[in-house]
Amino acid sequence: QVQLVESGGGLVQPGGSLRLSCAASGRIFSINTMGWYRQAPGKQRELVASMASGGSTNYADSVKGRFTISRDNAKWMVYLQMNSLKPEDTAVYYCNAEGLLGRTMALSRPFGSWGPGTQVTVSS
């Protein structure tokens, strides 16, 4: 299995910044897409940003221009730089990864994993 662990959440004032990190570990052969989702109380989980292995990105309209996703493929890590934070960004942020698990391509199988989540609270 692949384990994902997020870090970097916390309490920040409106207009402030936070940087989330997510590390993937396990018998990973390759990771195609890594991304960040969030879930606010009483709402469905939604995509915040994702990045394919080739570098293409996808952002929710609500975070475009404020959030930036990046990856370190050599370390199986993904980051989310969040600037100009708003109270409506308050949520639990989850890391997601999809790829191939296994020692070799011939022995690999697809995986999809989620981290346990990290709380981000934007409040004065």
Side-chain angles (χ1 to χ4, degrees), residues 37-96:
Y37 291 71
R38 67 186 180 187
Q39 187 167 17
K43 295 187 177 181
Q44 289 188 330
R45 190 173 298 189
E46 61 175 0
L47 173 70
V48 176
S50 65
M51 190 173 199
S53 57
S56 61
T57 58
N58 185 31
Y59 291 93
D61 288 342
S62 59
V63 307
K64 285 180 180 177
R66 300 188 298 123
F67 291 9
T68 302
I69 189 170
S70 60
R71 286 174 61 164
D72 185 335
N73 291 327
K75 297 181 179 179
W76 303 129
M77 293 197 68
V78 64
Y79 308 94
L80 185 68
Q81 178 66 42
M82 304 185 293
N83 299 328
S84 303
L85 282 160
K86 304 175 181 180
E88 50 263 44
D89 295 317
T90 296
V92 177
Y93 283 70
Y94 297 91
C95 177
N96 173 265

Side-chain angles (χ1 to χ4, degrees), residues 104-119:
T104 66
M105 181 67 176
L107 298 175
S108 64
R109 55 184 174 87
F111 78 88
S113 294
W114 293 92
T118 185
Q119 177 70 46

